[in-house]
Amino acid sequence: MITGKPMLLSLTALVAASVLAGLSLTNAAAETSPARERQSVKATPTAAPVRKTSPYSPASVSKSARSYYDAVSGVDDLKVRRTGSNLIRFSYRVADPERAKALADRKATPYLIGHSSRAVLQVPVMDKVGPLRQSTTPQPGQEYWMVFSNKGDMVKLGERVSVVIGAFRADGLKVE
């Protein structure tokens, strides 16, 4: 019976020794793995991060929105683009001149409203030229434009904006 107890103690010592040996091996492997990672990182060239687009915000004006603006306002092909300077250009093509008269009304003040920045931009008025917008009688198939002042770079590239001109309102246009 006495011989069984030393055997039990030696078995316990053996298990403890193997656990400690396993821990020391994993520590040694953990110490060498960052050095290996550094070598592999240096060997591979850095790639540009892939930018994913959200499925919930379309990249352009949807087909149903285009048909809505055509039916209600008489315009289509709505675009909002940043120019080289601190200006944002809104352009549209006239499909029905009778319904598009609201956009050419000189008395209506146009506004561009940024959705995320909450900025409200206006058309600048030059001393000798007047407002930077076309306000002639609309002709079918012609493209017209107006420029909004983006002083201080309030509206960024890729932001969604709304354009309001009198009774006309175009929502969710993306700044290109």
Side-chain angles (χ1 to χ4, degrees):
M1 292 253 168
I2 297 176
T3 58
K5 285 184 182 176
M7 184 71 139
L8 183 63
L9 288 176
S10 65
L11 183 62
T12 307
L14 182 63
V15 170
S18 65
V19 168
L20 288 175
L23 287 176
S24 65
L25 286 175
T26 57
N27 286 341
E31 289 174 4
T32 58
S33 64
R36 287 183 184 163
E37 288 177 9
R38 279 188 235 120
Q39 289 174 353
S40 65
V41 169
K42 290 178 184 177
T44 59
T46 57
V50 177
R51 188 169 187 174
K52 295 181 180 179
T53 58
S54 172
Y56 302 108
S57 59
S60 63
V61 179
S62 67
K63 188 175 182 179
S64 61
R66 275 185 258 150
S67 63
Y68 171 79
Y69 291 128
D70 188 14
V72 173
S73 305
V75 295
D76 61 357
D77 199 22
L78 303 171
K79 295 177 191 170
V80 179
R81 294 187 177 165
R82 272 184 77 173
T83 62
S85 58
N86 289 331
L87 298 173
I88 295 180
R89 181 179 192 246
F90 169 66
S91 62
Y92 57 94
R93 190 170 55 89
V94 174
D96 183 12
E98 193 61 37
R99 288 183 285 178
K101 282 185 179 179
L103 287 138
D105 186 15
R106 291 181 187 202
K107 294 177 185 174
T109 305
Y111 297 102
L112 186 132
I113 304 165
H115 290 191
S116 61
S117 65
R118 305 278 190 227
V120 179
L121 308 180
Q122 293 182 348
V123 174
V125 179
M126 306 299 279
D127 292 335
K128 295 182 181 180
V129 179
L132 294 178
R133 67 181 279 197
Q134 290 178 316
S135 55
T136 59
T137 305
Q139 300 295 322
Q142 291 289 337
E143 186 170 315
Y144 295 92
W145 57 267
M146 61 186 66
V147 178
F148 294 92
S149 174
N150 191 19
K151 196 171 190 177
D153 201 25
M154 299 297 291
V155 176
K156 306 286 185 197
L157 189 68
E159 183 176 347
R160 297 283 175 179
V161 296
S162 296
V163 177
V164 180
I165 307 166
F168 172 79
R169 182 178 183 103
D171 289 319
L173 302 173
K174 188 175 182 179
V175 179
E176 299 174 2

